[in-house]
Amino acid sequence: MGTTQQDTVPEPKYWHLKNVLTRALDTEFAVGEILPNERELAARFGVARATLRQALEQLELEGRLQRRRGVGTTVAPPRVGVAVDHAAHDWPGAAGDGWQSVDCESTVPPAAVAQLLGLAEDAGAEVFAVRRTRVTQGQSVAAETLYVPAASVPALTAMSSVDAPSGPARAHIVLGELQRLALEGEDRAVELGSARADDAKELDRLPGAPVLVVTTRYFVDGATAAVSMATYRADTCRLTFGDAGDVQISHPAEPVGQLS
Amino acid sequence: MGTTQQDTVPEPKYWHLKNVLTRALDTEFAVGEILPNERELAARFGVARATLRQALEQLELEGRLQRRRGVGTTVAPPRVGVAVDHAAHDWPGAAGDGWQSVDCESTVPPAAVAQLLGLAEDAGAEVFAVRRTRVTQGQSVAAETLYVPAASVPALTAMSSVDAPSGPARAHIVLGELQRLALEGEDRAVELGSARADDAKELDRLPGAPVLVVTTRYFVDGATAAVSMATYRADTCRLTFGDAGDVQISHPAEPVGQLS
């Protein structure tokens, strides 16, 4: 904060190149097409390889390009709108919420989650962790861990460990128990993150890939009854709030005109 | 989509290093502290420079590190929660919305915005473009362009170009006119993007820096009366929806434990 490097570098080379490449993508290439390799592209546009790579990285950030090892760089299809927030507030697992349960374990939650749930830190109290995935248009777009304290699902907690089912069946019971609680409200935070190894695997990405992390708190009786940490692919997803899910917004991050 | 590279590379070196560095940041370094240079860090952790750089990039994505030319790599403060969606739906410019008007021009909107506004493409119809910035805790966190078709602000449109004020005064009139329309609702989309040159300058970043792009549609009489394209710094901001703005969530993208 407080640097003034922009004043001396008003339009870096990579930025100019990125705009040139954007126009080329709009006019010369089709979705799914493989771009020429870096050496050819650098030669065609008369730039250094390092400059080219910076521009390609930005186009990847904007969801215009996909880079995959062994395949090369391809033109990406438009991002898929994924509804995150609905007018009707429901518990996870409500009919038609678009998620599939994969597993459920007992685990000590991350410190940040324990804090949100109001659990004492360092106490090491275990909670149920329901793992779910979300598939949109045949594509795995998100992986979620839903943290539910034992106090929120007393019926399951009362079962002996012998009777309690495991895996998806257990997840089903936890979600079913949640539906019985009166959901007062929920709130969300969205931020940029890098995919954890387990999430990356489900999303078919490498660990560390850029993701949008959505943290949701579910409120019952004035307290947080459950916390969801969902990881969405940042390359292919556009998160929608309200009723924007069905509207196609093509590459809004890349306006054609400049205002200044 | 469809690659299986993760199966053969379950835990890349950079990922392991990132987790080791995260623990070091939690225990050895204070916010604002400058990290040792890359050579020293690579030596200390016994990794190649390339591996180190990948891990540092991920920590930057997660908002744990800031890298600035001429300063080096410093430990970032926790991200600032910025409220994007309130329970009370209001027009931009309503009292206490946290934005400051900078300018207002007539411009041909980007194709994606023209489409959202229902304007015929290629018609080249101009709209008012109000530029605004948002400052939170003394930090410039977002830059916005609010696109308003002439039809939404008839009083201003009726003024002759001689009488019409320019700059912030004109922005003030456009926003004032909007308040007179009955706002039926709004929806939003959030996605990853790279900062345009003009936005980057206002956000004190270099062009191409990762940003969260929030597209908002404002509805009047069943049609879209205005479209906002807001660009939030992805390194320092956490976007909140609902009432999460006042809650401190420290680095939720970086859970301490692993579930699998």
Side-chain angles (χ1 to χ4, degrees):
Chain A
M1 286 149 289
T3 67
T4 54
Q5 48 197 8
Q6 288 77 7
D7 295 338
T8 53
V9 192
E11 173 128 317
K13 270 187 198 164
Y14 64 81
W15 180 253
H16 177 73
L17 175 63
K18 196 216 73 166
N19 289 326
V20 171
L21 283 171
T22 299
R23 281 192 289 277
L25 290 178
D26 287 339
T27 55
E28 291 179 40
F29 293 92
V31 167
E33 201 171 333
I34 299 176
L35 254 56
N37 65 37
E38 288 188 2
R39 192 168 35 79
E40 289 173 51
L41 284 175
R44 167 172 166 186
F45 293 102
V47 296
R49 290 280 283 273
T51 305
L52 177 71
R53 274 197 209 107
Q54 275 185 290
L56 293 178
E57 266 168 34
Q58 274 148 22
L59 289 167
E60 207 181 356
L61 272 187
E62 293 173 10
R64 296 299 308 263
L65 293 179
Q66 291 179 313
R67 288 199 284 179
R68 283 172 291 162
R69 259 189 246 175
V71 177
T73 302
T74 57
V75 181
R79 282 176 171 157
V80 177
V82 184
V84 169
D85 194 8
H86 301 271
H89 295 286
D90 278 323
W91 280 112
D97 78 348
W99 292 86
Q100 292 182 321
S101 297
V102 175
D103 199 4
C104 179
E105 298 190 345
S106 289
T107 186
V108 176
V113 172
Q115 194 188 333
L116 292 178
L117 287 170
L119 302 174
E121 276 189 64
D122 303 325
E126 296 209 335
V127 303
F128 294 110
V130 177
R131 288 283 292 170
R132 303 197 301 161
T133 59
R134 184 167 176 172
V135 175
T136 299
Q137 298 182 12
Q139 213 182 84
S140 188
V141 292
E144 180 199 47
T145 306
L146 177 70
Y147 298 94
V148 185
S152 297
V153 287
L156 184 61
T157 309
M159 286 187 193
S160 74
S161 56
V162 178
D163 296 333
S166 62
R170 195 180 192 184
H172 186 74
I173 291 178
V174 171
L175 296 177
E177 288 284 299
L178 282 181
Q179 313 292 330
R180 297 159 56 144
L181 302 176
L183 180 62
E184 285 174 344
E186 57 199 80
D187 65 15
R188 286 185 176 74
V190 179
E191 64 187 303
L192 182 60
S194 71
R196 263 176 20 202
D198 54 346
D199 291 333
K201 189 163 183 180
E202 278 182 43
L203 298 174
D204 195 18
R205 305 253 72 197
L206 288 173
V211 289
L212 297 170
V213 180
V214 180
T215 307
T216 307
R217 302 188 298 179
Y218 296 93
F219 303 118
V220 172
D221 282 341
T224 304
V227 168
S228 153
M229 300 274 302
T231 295
Y232 290 80
R233 283 180 65 151
D235 54 341
T236 56
C237 289
R238 183 168 46 82
L239 309 185
T240 66
F241 297 81
D243 303 312
D246 50 349
V247 178
Q248 183 71 26
I249 306 176
S250 61
H251 304 304
E254 189 47 44
V256 173
Q258 290 281 334
L259 296 175
S260 58
Chain B
M1 293 164 284
T3 67
T4 54
Q5 49 197 6
Q6 287 79 6
D7 295 338
T8 53
V9 192
E11 173 128 319
K13 271 187 197 163
Y14 64 82
W15 180 254
H16 177 73
L17 175 62
K18 196 216 72 166
N19 289 326
V20 171
L21 282 170
T22 299
R23 282 191 290 275
L25 290 178
D26 287 340
T27 55
E28 291 179 38
F29 294 91
V31 167
E33 200 172 333
I34 299 176
L35 254 56
N37 65 37
E38 288 188 1
R39 193 169 34 79
E40 288 173 52
L41 283 175
R44 168 170 166 187
F45 293 103
V47 296
R49 290 281 283 273
T51 304
L52 177 71
R53 274 198 209 107
Q54 275 184 289
L56 293 178
E57 267 168 35
Q58 274 147 21
L59 289 167
E60 207 180 357
L61 272 187
E62 293 173 10
R64 297 298 308 262
L65 293 179
Q66 291 178 314
R67 289 199 285 179
R68 283 172 293 164
R69 259 188 246 176
V71 177
T73 302
T74 56
V75 181
R79 283 176 171 157
V80 177
V82 184
V84 170
D85 194 8
H86 301 270
H89 294 287
D90 278 323
W91 280 111
D97 78 347
W99 292 85
Q100 291 183 322
S101 296
V102 175
D103 199 4
C104 178
E105 298 190 344
S106 290
T107 186
V108 176
V113 172
Q115 195 189 333
L116 292 179
L117 287 170
L119 302 175
E121 275 189 66
D122 304 325
E126 296 210 335
V127 303
F128 294 111
V130 177
R131 288 283 293 170
R132 303 197 302 162
T133 59
R134 184 167 177 171
V135 175
T136 299
Q137 298 182 13
Q139 211 183 83
S140 186
V141 292
E144 179 199 46
T145 306
L146 177 69
Y147 298 95
V148 184
S152 297
V153 287
L156 183 62
T157 310
M159 286 185 193
S160 74
S161 56
V162 178
D163 296 332
S166 63
R170 195 180 194 186
H172 186 74
I173 292 178
V174 171
L175 295 177
E177 287 284 298
L178 282 181
Q179 313 293 331
R180 296 159 55 145
L181 301 176
L183 180 62
E184 285 174 345
E186 58 200 80
D187 64 16
R188 286 184 175 77
V190 179
E191 63 187 304
L192 182 60
S194 71
R196 264 174 21 200
D198 55 345
D199 290 333
K201 190 164 183 180
E202 278 181 44
L203 298 174
D204 195 19
R205 305 254 71 198
L206 288 172
V211 290
L212 297 170
V213 179
V214 180
T215 306
T216 307
R217 302 189 297 178
Y218 295 93
F219 302 118
V220 172
D221 281 341
T224 304
V227 168
S228 154
M229 299 273 302
T231 294
Y232 290 80
R233 283 181 64 150
D235 54 340
T236 57
C237 289
R238 184 167 44 83
L239 308 185
T240 66
F241 297 81
D243 303 312
D246 50 348
V247 177
Q248 183 73 26
I249 305 178
S250 60
H251 303 305
E254 190 46 46
V256 172
Q258 290 282 336
L259 295 175
S260 57

